[in-house]
Amino acid sequence: MTLPNGSGVQATRAQAPQLVPQPRDPVTLVVRRRVRPGQQEAFESLVSGISDTLLRWPGHLGTGVVRPVPGQREYTMVVRFDDTANAASWEDSPERAEWLQRMAPLLDGETTLEQQPGLEFWFTPPGSPVLSQPRRWKMLVVTLLALYPTSLLLTVLIGPALAHLPLALRALLQAALVVSLMTYLIMPVATRGFRRWLQP
């Protein structure tokens, strides 16, 4: 599917299967653009302006730019939002359309846009000079604070009902429930609640 982006350049959403983000899940937008030869400096100046605009955008959690390896011309821009509504607000905004219109003459080919929901909030592509992961010990603390009560509660609530099952099957079912709750419910809430503290 090809999306209009307010400029002469077309933005194409990646066709790979993706999880459907819930309204209050953190969302990561991954945008890839190939820059015309000799236009890298002008392009990076515009990217800096976009990043400054995003700093004031509701729900914005961070921005990073992965520069092309030598011999390549593709830039990857990674933008995080706290939920799908704020991400959509940015995608549909006149501000973004204006930046894209200014950027269009510098680009070669299509722009691809991917939306990554949920726990993708944690991850940053290697080489990003701006957007970094939280410190590992902080991720450990938040994960433990979310995992321990979730696991304990499930053990109390469903443990007796599964007691007749073989140990391996019982453990598998409990693990599947814990991972599902952590991915789609608990961790999105935890990352929002500890957002400021998790910043490096």
Side-chain angles (χ1 to χ4, degrees):
M1 180 174 64
T2 301
L3 305 176
N5 66 3
S7 71
V9 178
Q10 293 182 322
T12 304
R13 287 194 183 274
Q15 298 300 317
Q18 297 182 12
L19 295 172
V20 178
Q22 299 303 306
R24 293 300 301 171
D25 278 357
V27 172
T28 302
L29 302 180
V30 181
V31 187
R32 295 182 176 87
R33 300 180 174 99
R34 190 165 64 251
V35 179
R36 295 181 184 275
Q39 299 295 331
Q40 287 86 348
E41 184 175 347
F43 176 79
E44 293 210 14
S45 177
L46 291 179
V47 167
S48 178
I50 293 174
S51 299
D52 289 342
T53 301
L54 281 164
L55 287 175
R56 302 185 294 274
W57 204 263
H60 174 254
L61 300 178
T63 301
V65 178
V66 182
R67 292 173 173 82
V69 298
Q72 301 294 322
R73 294 183 284 123
E74 184 177 86
Y75 282 76
T76 300
M77 189 169 185
V78 183
V79 187
R80 289 174 177 165
F81 294 93
D82 61 352
D83 60 29
T84 55
N86 284 322
S89 173
W90 167 251
E91 287 189 79
D92 298 333
S93 68
E95 292 89 340
R96 178 175 179 267
E98 181 180 348
W99 282 112
L100 293 178
Q101 187 173 13
R102 295 172 61 183
M103 189 178 288
L106 309 179
L107 303 181
D108 185 12
E110 292 186 340
T111 294
T112 62
L113 172 66
E114 299 175 22
Q115 189 177 98
Q116 300 177 347
L119 289 186
E120 297 291 341
F121 171 82
W122 288 109
F123 301 107
T124 300
S128 171
V130 180
L131 184 62
S132 57
Q133 287 183 325
R135 295 184 183 276
R136 293 194 176 203
W137 70 268
K138 288 187 176 183
M139 292 197 298
L140 173 64
V141 169
V142 173
T143 303
L144 184 60
L145 289 174
L147 178 61
Y148 175 71
T150 302
S151 179
L152 181 62
L153 183 62
L154 281 178
T155 298
V156 171
L157 292 179
I158 69 170
L162 302 179
H164 65 285
L165 297 175
L167 176 60
L169 179 58
R170 186 166 71 246
L172 175 62
L173 291 174
Q174 287 190 238
L177 285 171
V178 169
V179 170
S180 298
L181 286 172
M182 290 285 289
T183 301
Y184 294 106
L185 179 63
I186 307 300
M187 286 307 294
V189 173
T191 55
R192 285 196 302 272
F194 287 92
R195 180 177 66 210
R196 295 186 182 278
W197 184 74
L198 281 168
Q199 292 177 359

